[in-house]
Amino acid sequence: MELQVDQLEIGYAGKKVATADQLHLKTGRLTGIIGINGSGKSTLLKTLQGNLKPIQGKINIDTKPITDYKQAELAKKISIVSSQPDVSGALQVDEIISLGRQPYTDWLGRLTKTDQKIVDDAIKTLQINQLKHRYFNQLSDGQKQRVMIARAFAQDTPFILLDEPVTHLDLYHQAIVFDLLKTISHQKNKAVVFSSHQINEILDICDDLIIIIDGKMRQNTVDHWLQDDQLNHLFPSDYIQFDGNTKRFRFR
């Protein structure tokens, strides 16, 4: 399955932030979005989710425009992990993950055996079985992020979009989250798309990159970008440069 963008212009209140000729987000691939602060990373994610109307352009899932989906239908295609958890701290972990099944349950929110199996698989995949009966407000930031990713995974959508999933996490917990995202995309055949400022790590784990430079969004494989001089223009060159030998960004 593929989410396709064609001649997209994104922004707020008619004010353009960035444009893209074409983007293709495919299941089974991990895609990172990089750019300086204010370049449009979060705006792009909100637009792809259908939460922000594009100024112009088309966004299709396969051949169907996302505007043709009812909200309940779109919730079976795209799940979201925001930069700030949006759940009550008084809920237990397994209860939060079960919320991912809301697009499929009846009006009382009752879980079927199939729903419960999917929730259990999410708990196993995110390696949080030891947390499932703990309350959300008792968790560390890294644990909370894994729970929110598990909820999105339990939603069982082909597309999972995450805004800054490793913000406020130490290096160890960043590595855990990034490894889990890679597992979900490759082993569970999801299109996982996320923004992050951890650019060197993104170069290590992602299949594809969307880079936003000077209001233009471009997509290609990581291998392509490592051979392209566009990475040299991602940051002002008087402070940051891309070292082609080590394939890393570094301070000047």
Side-chain angles (χ1 to χ4, degrees):
M1 187 170 288
E2 183 175 291
L3 189 151
Q4 307 145 346
V5 165
D6 184 51
Q7 303 302 313
L8 184 67
E9 186 173 306
I10 63 173
Y12 293 89
K15 183 179 179 181
K16 181 175 70 175
V17 173
T19 64
D21 292 335
Q22 289 187 329
L23 302 173
H24 299 272
L25 306 176
K26 299 179 181 180
T27 51
R29 297 187 71 80
L30 181 61
T31 301
I33 305 172
I34 61 175
I36 63 173
N37 286 344
S39 61
K41 300 184 297 296
S42 295
T43 306
L44 174 59
L45 287 170
K46 290 175 183 177
T47 306
L48 295 177
Q49 296 164 12
N51 290 339
L52 183 64
K53 186 177 180 180
I55 296 173
Q56 67 176 25
K58 298 178 181 179
I59 304 174
N60 293 348
I61 296 178
D62 287 339
T63 59
K64 184 176 179 179
I66 64 170
T67 52
D68 289 353
Y69 286 90
K70 296 180 180 178
Q71 187 174 1
E73 294 174 327
L74 194 59
K76 296 179 180 180
K77 298 294 183 183
I78 300 174
S79 54
I80 302 162
V81 180
S82 65
S83 56
Q84 297 294 329
D86 56 352
V87 298
S88 169
L91 291 175
Q92 291 187 170
V93 166
D94 57 346
E95 294 174 321
I96 292 171
I97 297 171
S98 296
L99 294 175
R101 299 306 300 161
Q102 282 185 337
Y104 309 91
T105 58
D106 61 22
W107 66 279
L108 290 174
R110 291 174 295 199
L111 300 182
T112 65
K113 290 183 179 179
T114 298
D115 291 322
Q116 189 59 58
K117 183 178 180 180
I118 292 171
V119 169
D120 291 342
D121 184 46
I123 291 171
K124 179 180 178 181
T125 299
L126 273 295
Q127 303 170 18
I128 52 175
N129 186 69
Q130 75 280 9
L131 303 177
K132 65 181 181 179
H133 296 308
R134 290 179 61 183
Y135 289 100
F136 193 69
N137 59 13
Q138 298 174 334
L139 306 181
S140 69
D141 287 341
Q143 291 169 336
K144 286 178 179 178
Q145 192 63 288
R146 288 160 70 180
V147 171
M148 300 311 294
I149 295 171
R151 184 181 73 167
F153 182 69
Q155 200 169 323
D156 198 22
T157 59
F159 303 97
I160 302 176
L161 309 183
L162 308 96
D163 191 8
E164 299 286 353
V166 297
T167 299
H168 309 308
L169 302 188
D170 62 33
L171 188 61
Y172 174 71
H173 288 93
Q174 288 178 24
I176 291 175
V177 169
F178 281 144
D179 186 61
L180 290 169
L181 295 181
K182 189 173 182 178
T183 296
I184 291 170
S185 61
H186 292 174
Q187 297 183 16
K188 303 297 184 177
N189 197 36
K190 307 292 186 181
V192 178
V193 184
F194 69 99
S195 63
S196 180
H197 292 294
Q198 310 305 119
I199 298 179
N200 287 329
E201 288 76 9
I202 283 179
L203 295 176
D204 286 336
I205 68 165
C206 284
D207 303 300
D208 301 312
L209 274 184
I210 296 172
I211 66 172
I212 308 177
I213 300 176
D214 296 329
K216 188 70 175 179
M217 300 177 284
R218 300 180 178 91
Q219 179 186 14
N220 218 310
T221 64
V222 170
D223 288 341
H224 170 88
W225 290 124
L226 289 176
Q227 304 302 320
D228 192 284
D229 68 352
Q230 286 295 305
L231 290 179
N232 283 314
H233 305 292
L234 188 64
F235 297 104
S237 59
D238 48 344
Y239 289 104
I240 305 291
Q241 72 175 151
F242 181 72
D243 188 329
N245 293 321
T246 61
K247 310 301 183 186
R248 287 290 185 272
F249 286 91
R250 63 180 180 83
F251 295 117
R252 278 195 177 278

